[in-house]
Amino acid sequence: MKTHLYLTLRIEVETELSLLDCVMELENGTTVKISDTPNVRVLEQEVFLSVLPNTKK
């Protein structure tokens, strides 16, 4: 049976970047890997990007 699960991640970071720049860098430059388990085969995964205000003009 296929089903969709929505998981929430909590991460702690240390950075000199602004919050918005930090979020954008993490979303564009990291990979999240959810691996298979003995009883669950991961078919697809997706990172949902944040909707951030454009602060650069």
Side-chain angles (χ1 to χ4, degrees):
M1 169 181 72
K2 290 184 186 178
T3 188
H4 290 123
L5 301 174
Y6 295 92
L7 305 175
T8 302
L9 298 175
R10 187 189 76 77
I11 60 170
E12 181 177 352
V13 301
E14 183 176 339
T15 183
E16 298 296 322
L17 295 174
S18 70
L19 178 60
L20 295 176
D21 288 339
C22 176
V23 170
M24 289 187 323
E25 186 166 315
L26 285 172
E27 288 180 342
N28 294 318
T30 60
T31 303
V32 176
K33 173 72 171 114
I34 307 296
S35 60
D36 293 346
T37 67
N39 297 303
V40 178
R41 186 168 59 114
V42 177
L43 301 175
E44 186 179 330
Q45 51 190 315
E46 175 184 4
V47 173
F48 295 103
L49 300 180
S50 301
V51 177
L52 303 171
N54 184 1
T55 59
K56 295 182 180 167
K57 300 201 179 215

